[in-house]
Amino acid sequence: MTKLASRLRLVTLVAAVLAHAAGGCATSGSGSAAHVPRTGLKAADYYPLAEGWKWAYDLEKDGQKILAVYAVVDALPDRATIMTGEEKLDYAISPDGIAQLETIGAGDFILKNPIAKDATWTVAGGSAKIVSTTDEITTDAGHFYDCAVVEVTRVDPKRVVRTTFAPDVGPVAIEVQVEDAGKMIVTTRAKLRSITRPGEDPFGMPKPKAP
């Protein structure tokens, strides 16, 4: 094989890897097709909880920066378990939406159907509101359209958690603000660095099929 042929083969391989890594993330680069807004999306569309999903976040909390990884380790039609480090998070999945799963039953909804701007629901010590269903956001994982932004406000102390969910991806950005001396101070920020979908390896490439 000539040097030119080898270089062309390498360029083709790299292009294929990059194209696969960008799959599912519409970009706003020049020449891309015009985005068509999606409608009729439900809670399960904004937070896929099949076993094998994994999200890696660049997390900044109290001045410290770390990499936080969340993975779905167990999933049934009506519930799912996510592990992050040694912490386990359980969720209940129903036609009403996705809620935290407590020892004695379902707790607060993190996403509640129908997904619509200005929709609200009650959570322990406060309320949740969908402030947008049309947000766009860019992270290291890609550019995402039609994002639903949920703001959860609680008191004692007053705090606001703002989570941005991208369709077919899950949470892509999180911001936590806490009141301190009458001012709202950002204490935590997280942005999605990478995604591993079911059937992919951690580098975003599909697992080989069994012979």
Side-chain angles (χ1 to χ4, degrees):
M1 183 179 293
T2 66
K3 290 184 178 180
L4 177 59
S6 296
R7 290 176 180 175
L8 289 174
R9 183 177 180 183
L10 178 59
V11 170
T12 301
L13 177 60
V14 171
V17 171
L18 292 176
H20 182 86
C25 303
T27 63
S28 56
S30 59
S32 61
H35 173 67
V36 178
R38 297 174 61 183
T39 59
L41 297 174
K42 297 182 179 181
D45 298 313
Y46 283 103
Y47 205 170
L49 289 172
E51 188 171 348
W53 273 95
K54 184 181 292 185
W55 305 267
Y57 297 90
D58 289 311
L59 175 65
E60 184 177 350
K61 183 175 182 179
D62 299 328
Q64 296 185 338
K65 296 181 179 180
I66 62 173
L67 177 66
V69 178
Y70 293 73
V72 179
V73 296
D74 188 32
L76 294 172
D78 63 345
R79 64 184 60 197
T81 298
I82 292 178
M83 292 294 296
T84 174
E86 297 183 356
E87 183 181 4
K88 184 174 74 169
L89 307 171
D90 293 316
Y91 296 98
I93 305 167
S94 73
D96 292 328
I98 298 173
Q100 293 176 328
L101 191 60
E102 308 291 349
T103 304
I104 57 175
D108 293 334
F109 279 98
I110 60 171
L111 280 169
K112 194 173 190 301
N113 293 320
I115 303 296
K117 186 178 183 300
D118 296 327
T120 61
W121 61 90
T122 301
V123 299
S127 63
K129 181 178 181 178
I130 299 176
V131 298
S132 176
T133 58
T134 58
D135 259 33
E136 293 183 34
I137 186 171
T138 299
T139 75
D140 287 346
H143 185 82
F144 304 97
Y145 292 98
D146 305 321
C147 296
V149 181
V150 179
E151 287 189 354
V152 177
T153 303
R154 289 186 167 93
V155 295
D156 296 328
K158 183 178 180 180
R159 56 202 184 278
V160 178
V161 180
R162 180 184 177 96
T163 306
T164 302
F165 295 88
D168 305 322
V169 173
V172 294
I174 302 168
E175 182 180 274
V176 179
Q177 296 184 36
V178 178
E179 187 176 51
D180 183 18
K183 296 182 178 180
M184 298 302 291
I185 306 297
V186 176
T187 61
T188 304
R189 282 194 180 97
K191 280 195 173 183
L192 185 65
R193 174 188 286 193
S194 65
I195 317 161
T196 302
R197 295 174 172 84
E200 293 179 344
D201 68 17
F203 298 99
M205 296 297 291
K207 292 180 179 179
K209 295 182 179 179

